[in-house]
């Protein structure tokens, strides 16, 4: 057991993060060590200094209230999940309504879940700062059960799709899509995806990332580049699609998302698919 | 008013239903702490104001779906931290403006940073000398180390919560907190105006 004047261990002691026996040993050491006693007192003073409140500029709250954006829509509980569209339908719908190019919707046959599994009875709603209880370093995608037969490749990914009628248009069928997950506009990062992976155990879903950031279709959130995660590499078993800057503005109203000119607007949608 | 009070919950429920008046009261209750966190992260009052404002905007937008699994204040801290990181990233100040000098004992990826003198607090923003020294000390930390330390010290997140939020292993969180404290303490002692 280590004791002694070790700042790393003193810091852990300060936060009560050492095992109980080591806490007691460290306490005994500190009682006899002026250096460590002083270190802890300084640490405590540092905490108090860091936690001091600061007055914001005058009328800060007034300016906040003047600039309030629209609130997100409250997601209603879905009593039972039912697949409303097929992946082919979604792909066609997305392509027709939003003018998706074949490059931006990229589900290969191997990426399409092929079984229908019951979803949770209520949707998952990201409150904007959600934190999963799991260890985020695990990158295991959710387990899926595949039938014996292969699903056909999605024919609707053909570049021959006519998207000319999509400008300002709205496919009536698209309104049937009920998101089973709808993030808030508070910069969800890939924690959200891990949360999804845990909770949406094995549903056939499509993920739409709505963002004005050109890199966000590939990198979720605003993590350092080396910590960012490609959607496709993180969840190869999920069908997914990403939308470009222009497409975002056309698709967002369908799901109640209100995009502003803010560069931080960022929505994450998970849509049900039928097998 | 301390968090977790019935009054705060009442305000949160009203704000969730669209009451801007209730939200205004929540802003007033938390603005000093949120601004302090943003100032400590950003290093200057203008950016701190922008980040704090964005945090409250995010809170307002997301309130209808706020599950109240944590206290409103805790949730707000997380949004504020997100807003700061976003702003730092836009300014290319997240893990940037660094020297090649290794930080402390050479933790991988960590470099000692030069405080960005273009964003020093302007003179109209009054601070005590110690507060300024504290900010200089914080600015000398790599931004990802500063973030971990502030999540612990100001936001009050546990080591495990920080680990999950930032996708860092627990050892890295422990190390960054300890080294952040050690560096700040040393910085303030060298400045000669820090005596507990």
């Amino acid at each position: 057991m280590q004791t002694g004047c070790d700042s790393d261990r003193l810091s852990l002691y300060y936060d009560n993060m050492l095992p109980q026996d080591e806490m007691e040993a460290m306490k005994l050491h500190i009682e006899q060590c002026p250096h460590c006693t002083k270190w802890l007192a300084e640490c405590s003073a540092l905490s108090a200094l860091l936690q001091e409140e600061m007055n914001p500029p005058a009328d800060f709250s007034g300016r906040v209230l003047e600039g309030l954006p629209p609130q997100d829509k409250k997601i209603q509980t879905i009593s039972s999940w039912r697949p409303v569209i097929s992946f082919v339908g979604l792909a066609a719908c997305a392509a027709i309504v939003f003018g998706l190019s074949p490059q931006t919707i990229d589900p290969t046959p191997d990426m399409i879940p092929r079984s229908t599994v019951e979803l949770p009875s209520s949707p998952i709603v990201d409150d904007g700062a959600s934190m999963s209880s799991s260890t985020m370093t695990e990158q295991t995608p959710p387990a899926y059960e595949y039938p014996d037969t292969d699903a056909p490749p999605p024919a609707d990914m053909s570049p021959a799709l006519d998207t000319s009628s999509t400008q300002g248009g709205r496919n009536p069928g698209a309104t049937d899509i009920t998101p089973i997950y709808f993030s808030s506009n508070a910069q969800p990062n890939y924690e959200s995806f891990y949360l999804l992976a845990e909770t949406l155990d094995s549903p056939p879903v499509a993920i739409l990332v709505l963002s004005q950031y050109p890199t966000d279709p590939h990198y979720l959130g605003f993590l350092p580049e080396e910590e960012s995660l490609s959607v496709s590499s993180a969840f190869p078993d999920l069908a997914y699609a990403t939308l470009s800057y222009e497409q975002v503005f056309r698709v967002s109203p369908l799901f109640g998302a209100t995009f502003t000119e803010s560069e931080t607007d960022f929505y994450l949608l998970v849509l049900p698919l039928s097998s | 008013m301390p968090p977790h009070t019935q009054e705060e919950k009442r305000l949160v429920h009203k704000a969730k239903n669209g009451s801007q008046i209730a939200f205004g009261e929540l802003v007033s209750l938390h603005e000093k702490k949120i601004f302090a966190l943003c100032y400590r992260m950003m290093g200057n009052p203008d950016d701190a104001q922008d980040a704090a404002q964005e945090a409250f905007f995010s809170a307002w937008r997301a309130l209808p779906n706020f599950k109240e699994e944590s206290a409103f204040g805790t949730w707000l801290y997380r949004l504020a931290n997100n807003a700061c990181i976003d702003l730092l990233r836009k300014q290319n100040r997240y893990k940037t403006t660094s020297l090649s000098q290794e930080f402390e004992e050479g933790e991988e990826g960590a470099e000692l940073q030069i405080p960005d003198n273009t964003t020093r607090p302007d003179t109209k923003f009054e601070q005590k000398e110690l507060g300024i020294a504290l900010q200089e000390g914080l600015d000398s930390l790599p931004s990802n180390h500063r973030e971990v330390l502030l999540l612990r010290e100001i936001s009050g997140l546990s080591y495990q919560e920080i680990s999950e939020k930032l996708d860092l292993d627990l050892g890295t969180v422990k190390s960054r907190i300890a080294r952040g404290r050690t560096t700040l303490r040393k910085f303030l002692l060298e400045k000669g105006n820090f005596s507990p």
Side-chain angles (χ1 to χ4, degrees), chain A residues 199-263:
Chain A
T199 316
L200 302 181
D201 195 22
S202 49
V205 296
I207 294 176
L208 293 180
V209 177
L210 310 188
S211 173
Q212 299 170 53
Y213 265 69
T215 55
D216 276 339
H218 300 291
Y219 295 114
L220 300 174
F222 302 90
L223 299 167
E225 190 171 338
E226 64 273 22
E227 295 176 18
S228 295
L229 198 60
S230 158
V231 182
S232 55
S233 65
F235 299 102
D237 291 317
L238 293 182
Y240 68 95
T242 54
L243 304 183
S244 70
Y245 182 96
E246 293 78 13
Q247 291 158 348
V248 160
F249 285 91
R250 276 181 282 164
V251 68
S252 57
L254 296 174
F255 303 107
T258 306
F259 269 82
T260 64
E261 293 301 318
S262 166
E263 290 182 322

Side-chain angles (χ1 to χ4, degrees), chain A residues 88 91-92 95-96 100-103 105 107 153-163:
Chain A
V88 171
I96 291 169
L100 286 177
S101 69
Q103 288 77 18
I105 183 163
D156 298 75
M157 295 302 98
S158 161
L161 278 170
D162 177 15
T163 59

Side-chain angles (χ1 to χ4, degrees), chain A residues 7-8 11-12 14-15 17 35 38-39 41-43 45-47 49-57 60-61 63-65 67-75 125-137 184-187 189-191 213 222-227 263-265 267, chain B residues 15-16 18 20 23-24 27-28 31-33 35-36 39-40 49 52-54 56-58 60-67 75 78-79 82-83 85-86 89-90 94-95 125 127 130 134 138 150 152-154 157 159 161 164-168 174 177-179 181-182 184-185 188-189 194 196:
Chain A
S7 58
D8 282 12
S11 176
L12 292 172
Y14 179 73
D15 285 327
M17 283 293 291
H35 173 268
K38 182 171 179 286
W39 195 99
E42 288 163 352
C43 197
L46 185 60
S47 293
L49 203 54
L50 284 167
Q51 290 164 16
E52 276 183 3
E53 294 183 345
M54 298 175 78
N55 285 321
F60 172 79
S61 59
R63 268 176 276 173
V64 168
L65 293 178
L68 285 180
Q71 278 192 317
D72 287 350
K73 284 187 176 179
K74 184 174 177 64
I75 305 297
V125 180
D126 183 6
D127 62 11
S130 62
M131 295 172 60
S132 166
S133 60
S134 72
T135 302
M136 292 302 170
T137 52
S184 75
N185 192 18
Q187 305 160 24
N189 53 34
Y190 71 84
E191 291 168 16
Y213 265 69
F222 302 90
L223 299 167
E225 190 171 338
E226 64 273 22
E227 295 176 18
E263 290 182 322
T264 59
D265 282 352
Y267 284 78
Chain B
K16 285 176 83 166
Q20 293 191 9
F23 188 71
V27 173
S28 297
E31 62 180 2
K32 290 181 181 177
K33 288 181 179 177
F35 185 75
Y39 186 86
R40 296 303 180 206
Q49 184 179 351
Q53 191 163 289
E54 184 54 39
F56 282 113
F57 287 165
S58 296
W60 171 253
R61 276 191 294 251
L63 255 173
N65 296 311
F66 173 45
K67 290 173 282 187
W75 182 59
R78 291 173 188 168
L79 295 178
N82 290 349
I85 298 303
D86 187 29
R89 197 177 307 287
K90 283 182 190 171
Y94 192 70
K95 294 176 73 174
F125 193 79
Q127 270 195 313
L130 186 55
L134 176 67
L138 283 169
L150 294 181
R152 174 65 195 152
E153 292 282 8
I154 302 184
L157 267 59
Y159 283 56
E161 286 173 324
E164 289 169 0
K165 177 174 175 56
L166 302 181
D167 194 20
L168 297 170
K174 291 176 181 177
I177 290 173
R179 291 180 185 182
R181 283 172 173 156
T182 301
L184 268 185
R185 168 185 165 274
L188 293 175
L189 287 171
F194 181 56

Side-chain angles (χ1 to χ4, degrees), chain B residues 62-129:
Chain B
L63 255 173
N65 296 311
F66 173 45
K67 290 173 282 187
E68 299 185 61
E69 290 172 351
S70 61
F72 177 74
T74 306
W75 182 59
L76 205 50
Y77 272 131
R78 291 173 188 168
L79 295 178
N81 183 70
N82 290 349
C84 289
I85 298 303
D86 187 29
L87 191 53
L88 286 170
R89 197 177 307 287
K90 283 182 190 171
Q91 298 172 345
N92 291 320
R93 288 204 289 140
Y94 192 70
K95 294 176 73 174
T96 57
T97 62
S98 60
L99 290 172
S100 301
Q101 183 179 353
E102 288 193 355
F103 179 65
E104 289 277 312
E105 297 170 15
E107 184 181 349
E108 188 179 353
E111 294 179 333
L112 188 61
Q113 296 196 329
I114 317 172
D116 182 354
N117 290 326
T118 62
T119 58
R120 303 289 345 123
D122 64 44
T123 51
K124 68 182 179 184
F125 193 79
E126 295 180 2
Q127 270 195 313
K128 293 177 184 174
E129 191 178 343

